Amino acid sequence: MAAASPSRPEIISLFRSLLRTSRQFSDYNIREYSKRRTIDGFRLNKQLTDPSAVAAAFADGKSQLELAKRQVLVYSLYAPKVKSIMELNH
Amino acid sequence: MASSLRAAIISHFRVPASQTLALNGSKLWTVRSMSSHGDDHLDKNQVIDRVLEVVKCHPKIDPSKVTPEVHFQKDLGLDSLDTVEIVMALEEEFKLEIPDKEADKIDSCGLAIEYIYNHPMSS
């Protein structure tokens, strides 16, 4: 099931989907963490050139995206009623 | 009479559960409907100022280099991941949803300002 090495637009699209999904979290902490983690994760792997490593990282990213989508639903079921202090007073 | 009283009490207890769900749904909608579509559009200078603010606040950027015409990758030395981050930040600032195809084309402040100014849903 080894997919061919992902193209640049596909990687950018995955990055964008992960950020969009992260935005949907209702809880401040997990929202900020997922944004930070996707940015850091993609930056760390930016230099990869070996096609199999790139494909592996891409597949990992896709599974993380599926996970994040499920977690958005789960978190919304148990959303806290009080906003985090970090979200008040800009 | 007791059974009707019981039914009334039961239905009273039942309402809050669905009410909160409806509230959550309607909260989203009321937030959207309160965003002013009535007054015609944002002022262009406002758009420019807000876009530049968003770009300047990005950690990787030197604020002194930011002008309304600056190109993200050529002038500011960013890469494609940073460009996506900036477009996301602009989406949040102006409460827009920019489709991927359009977002890929935005690679300078000028284009961002143009797109946001021409978008009917910017607020």
Side-chain angles (χ1 to χ4, degrees), chain B residues 46-56 66 72 90 93-94 109 112-113 116:
Chain B
Q46 259 193 341
V47 173
I48 295 179
D49 287 340
R50 283 166 73 184
V51 167
L52 293 186
E53 267 312 301
V54 168
V55 177
K56 282 180 198 174
V66 176
F72 296 141
L90 288 172
E93 168 70 19
F94 291 95
C109 275
I113 294 167
I116 292 170

Side-chain angles (χ1 to χ4, degrees), chain B residues 4-30:
Chain B
S4 64
L5 195 64
R6 193 192 311 146
I9 293 173
I10 290 173
S11 60
H12 176 73
F13 281 135
R14 273 210 198 123
V15 164
S18 54
Q19 221 176 33
T20 40
L21 283 177
L23 261 178
N24 281 338
S26 62
K27 252 188 208 151
L28 286 171
W29 287 114
T30 45

Side-chain angles (χ1 to χ4, degrees), chain A residues 37-89:
Chain A
R37 183 68 184 87
T38 57
I39 295 173
D40 289 347
F42 273 82
R43 287 253 168 81
L44 278 174
N45 288 338
K46 208 165 65 159
Q47 276 78 25
L48 290 179
T49 49
D50 174 33
S52 59
V54 172
F58 186 74
D60 185 38
K62 289 208 100 160
S63 61
Q64 291 295 330
L65 176 63
E66 297 303 309
L67 192 155
K69 284 185 184 165
R70 287 196 299 268
Q71 287 305 105
V72 166
L73 277 173
V74 174
Y75 267 86
S76 70
L77 291 174
Y78 298 101
K81 297 190 179 64
V82 182
K83 279 189 156 215
S84 156
I85 187 127
M86 301 289 289
E87 293 179 323
L88 312 169
N89 321 358

Side-chain angles (χ1 to χ4, degrees), chain A residues 8-9 11-17 19-20 23 35 39 42-43 46 76, chain B residues 58 60 79-82 84-85 88 91-92 96-100 103-104:
Chain A
R8 193 194 184 87
I11 298 175
I12 299 287
S13 171
L14 178 67
F15 185 56
R16 201 175 277 128
S17 310
L19 286 179
R20 280 198 206 280
R23 271 205 306 220
K35 280 200 250 180
I39 295 173
F42 273 82
R43 287 253 168 81
K46 208 165 65 159
S76 70
Chain B
H58 196 269
K60 276 187 137 189
D79 69 354
S80 48
L81 294 181
D82 298 317
V84 174
E85 273 184 61
M88 289 262 116
E91 279 189 16
E92 283 180 28
L96 293 176
E97 275 283 326
I98 305 180
D100 285 6
D104 282 338

